Amino acid sequence: MIDRRLITNFDWTLLALVLAACALGVVNIYSASASYAPAGTPFYIKQLYWILVGLLLIVVVCSLDYHLFEDVAYWLYGILCLLLVVVLVVGKTSMGATRWLHLGFFSIQPSEPMKIVAIMTLARFFTNYATVGGLTLKDLLYPVLFLGAPALLIMKQPDLGTAILVILIAGSMMAYLGIRLSALVTCVLAAIPAVYISWSYYLRDYQKNRILDFLDPERDPLGSGYHIIQSKIAVGSGGVLGKGFMRGTQSQLRFLPEQHTDFAFSVFAEEWGFIGCLLLLVLYLLIILWGLHIARRCNDRFGSLMAVGVTAMLFWHIVINIGMVIGIFPVVGVPLPLFSYGGTSMITSMIGIGILLNISMRRFMF
């Protein structure tokens, strides 16, 4: 029998904030894709389908006690690491990247659920781990090995954006626990040769071009720098109040690439201006603060760490996406959660929201 307290403690505030972000995303996708009609179902209708699937997954996630995730975290980690290896061997290659694994009637991208599983794994590891006075260099060794392996496999696909996100999420969770200054300085110094090795041996030419374009967008304005230049024009031309719904010239005249996916925020900025962007950012800020509020209210360490991890996942997605479309970060192909078109991103974000709701509604049980 379902405990009535689970229903009475359901977090309707968080769900309302999430649905508001999804609704704005669907309206924006309608405008962004209005200038070209894809064969079959329109993008905004497909996005509605993904939102419905995501809501069903939220119901499934909320129906399970989140402590079950603690029991299966290491198993899921092992399975996904194995799938990441299989992807590199027999995965589907599209546009120079090998990220998908065909399973008969559908395909999966193991790097996306790895974000959630990485959160579970780290939360599981640190649940009974003494961290008095902050994490030392020795304390960081196992988590770095835990997450270094999948991050390298994801980077090898190549999917630099997802690999960076896995590292940032893990770093945020460890920062929440506290890191001693000596360990932090050592990690920063160790990152310098790691960046050099990555640049020399791991990054593809197009990834290097994205970083060079970030430093100097005008070096190839009609080639590798085209995306970011058009995006900055779109954002800037929106002004204070914007040009109006479906009146953005950069999007409606199709100067803006990937305008319903990674650069959806540019379309929104051009049509709704600074005021519209401010309202969207406030909405995201409320979701992030609510996630941290859930972590603070949680009565056990595993739930609190998972809430911090999911909130960090949403936070870094938002910061990197908006940062790259306004030109303060390199373009790394990270979508805006709950807003950009894409089933994989929507499903991952909704599972994360389901975990937050799950922790929130069970806060009275411990």
Side-chain angles (χ1 to χ4, degrees):
M1 181 176 293
I2 298 176
D3 191 330
R4 289 175 56 187
R5 292 177 297 176
L6 294 176
I7 298 174
T8 55
N9 284 279
F10 188 79
D11 201 333
W12 295 104
T13 303
L14 177 59
L15 185 62
L17 293 172
V18 167
L19 291 178
C22 291
L24 285 176
V26 171
V27 171
N28 192 61
I29 291 168
Y30 177 82
S31 174
S33 59
S35 58
Y36 50 95
T41 309
F43 290 118
Y44 73 96
I45 296 293
K46 290 182 182 177
Q47 185 77 347
L48 284 172
Y49 290 157
W50 286 120
I51 292 171
L52 289 175
V53 172
L55 290 173
L56 287 174
L57 286 172
I58 284 179
V59 173
V60 172
V61 171
C62 286
S63 65
L64 304 170
D65 186 336
Y66 66 84
H67 288 89
L68 175 66
F69 305 144
E70 185 176 357
D71 298 332
V72 301
Y74 290 160
W75 286 100
L76 292 175
Y77 171 83
I79 292 170
L80 277 180
C81 281
L82 181 61
L83 288 178
L84 287 173
V85 174
V86 174
V87 165
L88 292 178
V89 177
V90 297
K92 175 187 175 185
T93 300
S94 176
M95 300 179 67
T98 308
R99 302 174 184 172
W100 296 86
L101 192 62
H102 274 299
L103 295 175
F105 296 103
F106 65 97
S107 301
I108 62 169
Q109 187 179 356
S111 57
E112 276 297 317
M114 179 51 87
K115 296 173 193 169
I116 299 289
V117 171
I119 292 168
M120 291 181 187
T121 305
L122 265 191
R124 167 75 178 84
F125 178 80
F126 282 117
T127 294
N128 299 313
Y129 198 96
T131 56
V132 180
L135 298 169
T136 65
L137 199 58
K138 182 181 176 183
D139 297 328
L140 295 176
L141 181 61
Y142 286 115
V144 168
L145 292 176
F146 257 133
L147 298 172
L152 286 175
L153 289 170
I154 293 169
M155 197 180 294
K156 195 72 178 173
Q157 291 181 355
D159 187 352
L160 184 61
T162 302
I164 291 174
L165 278 167
V166 170
I167 295 170
L168 288 174
I169 293 167
S172 301
M173 294 175 70
M174 288 186 276
Y176 173 73
L177 291 168
I179 302 174
R180 294 189 183 183
L181 182 60
S182 57
L184 187 62
V185 171
T186 305
C187 288
V188 171
L189 293 176
I192 296 173
V195 170
Y196 173 77
I197 293 171
S198 296
W199 180 272
S200 302
Y201 300 104
Y202 276 96
L203 295 187
R204 304 282 181 88
D205 288 340
Y206 78 90
Q207 292 172 321
K208 293 179 181 178
N209 280 331
R210 287 179 175 180
I211 296 172
L212 294 173
D213 291 333
F214 158 66
L215 299 172
D216 181 13
E218 303 297 334
R219 61 185 286 274
D220 187 9
L222 297 179
S224 56
Y226 183 79
H227 286 58
I228 189 59
I229 290 174
Q230 297 303 318
S231 176
K232 288 164 73 174
I233 291 173
V235 173
S237 63
V240 176
L241 298 176
K243 295 178 178 175
F245 183 57
M246 299 186 71
R247 292 183 179 177
T249 51
Q250 287 295 107
S251 56
Q252 301 305 323
L253 298 178
R254 301 184 63 181
F255 287 109
L256 193 60
E258 309 294 338
Q259 56 191 34
H260 64 294
T261 54
D262 294 350
F263 287 84
F265 183 79
S266 306
V267 178
F268 189 81
E270 185 180 26
E271 295 185 351
W272 299 95
F274 174 76
I275 299 299
C277 291
L278 188 61
L279 291 174
L280 181 61
L281 290 176
V282 168
L283 181 58
Y284 276 126
L285 178 64
L286 291 174
I287 293 174
I288 297 302
L289 291 177
W290 204 259
L292 294 176
H293 177 60
I294 290 171
R296 186 178 63 82
R297 287 192 306 175
C298 184
N299 293 321
D300 70 290
R301 198 176 197 190
F302 177 73
S304 181
L305 278 171
M306 276 221 304
V308 168
V310 171
T311 305
M313 180 184 76
L314 296 172
F315 172 80
W316 286 116
H317 265 276
I318 296 164
V319 168
I320 293 177
N321 178 273
I322 294 179
M324 77 181 193
V325 303
I326 63 175
I328 61 173
F329 290 144
V331 177
V332 289
V334 172
L336 192 58
L338 309 170
F339 192 84
S340 298
Y341 171 80
T344 305
S345 171
M346 181 60 71
I347 294 300
T348 304
S349 299
M350 285 297 203
I351 290 175
I353 296 298
I355 290 173
L356 287 177
L357 291 169
N358 190 331
I359 296 168
S360 179
M361 65 197 290
R362 286 177 171 79
R363 63 186 181 276
F364 62 89
M365 298 181 72
F366 303 95

